[in-house]
Amino acid sequence: MPSGGARPPRAYAHGPGDRTLGAVHLTRLALTDFRSYAELSLELGPGVTMFSGPNGEGKTNLVEAIGYLATLGSHRVATDAPLVRRGADRAVLRAAVTGSQGSTLVEIELNPGRANRVRLNRAPRPRPRDILGALRTVLFAPEDLALVKGDPGERRRFLDELLVATAPRYAGLRADYERVLKQRTALLKSAGSKGHLRGPARESMTATLDAWDAQLARAGAPLLAGRIRLVAALRPHVMAAYEAVSGDPAGASGMYYRSSALNSSEFDDVPMVETAGLETALLKALAGVRASELDRGVCLVGPHRDELELSIGGLPSRGYASHGESWSLALALRLASFALLREGREDPVLILDDVFAELDTGRRERLAALVAGAEQVLVTAAVPADVPDVLAGVRFTVRAGVVASAG
């Protein structure tokens, strides 16, 4: 940590004496033809590192690359094509990570329109998701406001990404579910267009739908169970983090998982949920909506239709929360993610991308105090003065895609 950077108490999680923190941090980031960077090799250390410079010069591109190495996705775009520098046919991202188990080298080759390739410690891996877990990050960004104000899909994505960060096997479970969902939806559309079928043809279509119902329930149950358990574990951290960052002990936050297949009262406060029981419940719910599904040609039941409901002071945050309350809740979700990921394990890398410009002075100071004690904190800011002094550390300037030490 920089001089004077004593670890402050974490009001939303654990105090500094609760356990020995792991020493995981990103030691080097290398980029080739990623966004605005034709070539970049950057050495990093533990503690706080700030990247400052005018907007549009490449600061967010840096943290986007780090986030991609950790999650195989961008927090800004849904596809890989915009990540490759104009005129190049591929991009290469490399990260060296040091932790209690030694050093790890993660490499990703982005090939838009073709399969991406990955290597772990220079050894090729058959699937990109095989590198998940080698680098863990928690990213704060202006886009996080959509977690509170946006559509349910934003919150489902938040839960699923956090699930994968806690246990990388969920990446495979999520992929399996999405594959089955896509195929079942195609069948529903086909069956709906043939609603005049009678006799053996109708029986055959019904039997086929029954088989896909079974596959969807089987693939969806473990994902649903994981989400329910995650929300139960995350809820106390979110409530504590909201109070800590908002400074308002009276404005209690809440979060609940609402399943399209179940009544929330069936599992709301149960931390452990049996997958077999959820599979049965999904099958029952699918049978109950089949006629509607055939009419509409869409799948109406399953994790893809569920919602993470957020509230402040007992009212739904979407539509009722003020701008400041929405920001506090969005930050609380990320702080809670960090608190959950670090329980019994090494700290994830904490990234704050142009967040302080969005906050008032009180929230800036409280957020900075809460995160300053992380093993590694990466901050971007157009105006360095926006970042509280408690996050003083190593500084770089970023201009026209060139990263230089600020001394």
Side-chain angles (χ1 to χ4, degrees), residues 293-370:
E293 288 186 329
L294 287 170
D295 287 342
R296 298 171 58 180
V298 295
C299 184
L300 298 175
V301 167
H304 67 290
R305 303 283 294 195
D306 295 351
E307 167 70 297
L308 176 65
E309 296 185 346
L310 304 173
S311 64
I312 298 175
L315 295 174
S317 57
R318 188 181 180 191
Y320 287 91
S322 69
H323 185 71
E325 289 172 333
S326 296
W327 256 115
S328 292
L329 187 52
L331 292 170
L333 290 170
R334 295 301 187 190
L335 287 167
S337 301
F338 179 78
L340 190 67
L341 288 173
R342 72 195 299 267
E343 285 183 341
R345 299 184 62 182
E346 298 168 322
D347 280 13
V349 176
L350 199 56
I351 303 171
L352 296 91
D353 180 28
D354 202 25
V355 169
F356 290 103
E358 304 285 341
L359 305 177
D360 58 42
T361 301
R363 287 183 173 86
R364 286 179 187 176
E365 295 291 341
R366 288 189 290 271
L367 175 62
L370 289 166

Side-chain angles (χ1 to χ4, degrees), residues 112-336:
R114 295 171 289 134
N116 294 339
R117 297 193 292 181
V118 303
R119 296 198 301 174
L120 195 61
N121 293 327
R122 305 195 183 280
R125 295 300 177 100
R127 301 169 303 184
R129 68 173 184 256
D130 291 338
I131 67 168
L132 291 171
L135 171 64
R136 299 190 306 158
T137 62
V138 172
L139 171 65
F140 296 70
E143 290 82 359
D144 284 345
L145 201 59
L147 294 177
V148 179
K149 291 180 172 290
D151 294 332
E154 299 284 348
R155 291 176 286 281
R156 290 193 294 266
R157 179 183 174 189
F158 163 75
L159 289 178
D160 288 345
E161 289 182 349
L162 184 53
L163 268 181
V164 172
T166 59
R169 67 184 178 85
Y170 279 103
L173 294 174
R174 187 183 182 190
D176 289 344
Y177 179 77
E178 290 175 351
R179 173 183 55 80
V180 174
L181 175 64
K182 182 179 180 180
Q183 292 174 311
R184 184 177 182 274
T185 300
L187 179 64
L188 283 171
K189 290 180 178 179
S190 173
S193 67
K194 301 174 182 176
H196 61 282
L197 291 177
R198 297 291 184 271
R202 184 178 182 84
E203 291 175 3
S204 175
M205 181 64 75
T206 298
T208 303
L209 273 172
D210 286 344
W212 280 107
D213 284 3
Q215 289 196 48
L216 190 78
R218 190 178 307 116
L223 180 59
L224 177 55
R227 286 183 183 175
I228 293 170
R229 292 168 186 152
L230 177 64
V231 171
L234 198 61
R235 184 183 294 115
H237 292 299
V238 171
M239 295 175 68
Y242 181 81
E243 180 178 337
V245 76
S246 69
D248 180 13
S253 64
M255 62 184 299
Y256 304 92
Y257 189 85
R258 187 167 297 279
S259 169
S260 56
L262 301 169
N263 294 321
S264 60
S265 59
E266 295 181 34
F267 58 80
D268 186 35
D269 292 314
V270 180
M272 298 300 291
V273 180
E274 292 186 4
T275 301
L278 292 176
E279 184 175 338
T280 300
L282 282 166
L283 278 172
K284 181 179 178 181
L286 286 166
V289 298
R290 175 169 291 184
S292 297
E293 288 186 329
L294 287 170
D295 287 342
R296 298 171 58 180
V298 295
C299 184
L300 298 175
V301 167
H304 67 290
R305 303 283 294 195
D306 295 351
E307 167 70 297
L308 176 65
E309 296 185 346
L310 304 173
S311 64
I312 298 175
L315 295 174
S317 57
R318 188 181 180 191
Y320 287 91
S322 69
H323 185 71
E325 289 172 333
S326 296
W327 256 115
S328 292
L329 187 52
L331 292 170
L333 290 170
R334 295 301 187 190
L335 287 167

Side-chain angles (χ1 to χ4, degrees), residues 26 28-42 44 51 58-77 79-80 82-85 91-97 106-110 116 118 131-132 134-141 157 349 351-353 378 380 403:
L26 187 66
R28 186 171 71 88
L29 174 68
L31 304 175
T32 302
D33 291 327
F34 181 86
R35 290 283 196 181
S36 57
Y37 294 96
E39 289 288 343
L40 173 74
S41 181
L42 182 64
L44 297 165
F51 301 94
K59 302 185 302 297
T60 294
N61 295 347
L62 289 175
V63 298
E64 181 182 29
I66 295 169
Y68 196 104
L69 284 156
T71 67
L72 299 178
S74 163
H75 69 290
R76 302 161 77 191
V77 294
T79 62
D80 290 344
L83 306 180
V84 178
R85 190 172 66 91
V92 179
L93 301 78
R94 297 182 178 89
V97 184
V106 183
E107 299 174 272
I108 302 176
E109 180 182 297
L110 299 181
N116 294 339
V118 303
I131 67 168
L132 291 171
L135 171 64
R136 299 190 306 158
T137 62
V138 172
L139 171 65
F140 296 70
R157 179 183 174 189
V349 176
I351 303 171
L352 296 91
D353 180 28
L378 307 178
T380 72
V403 182

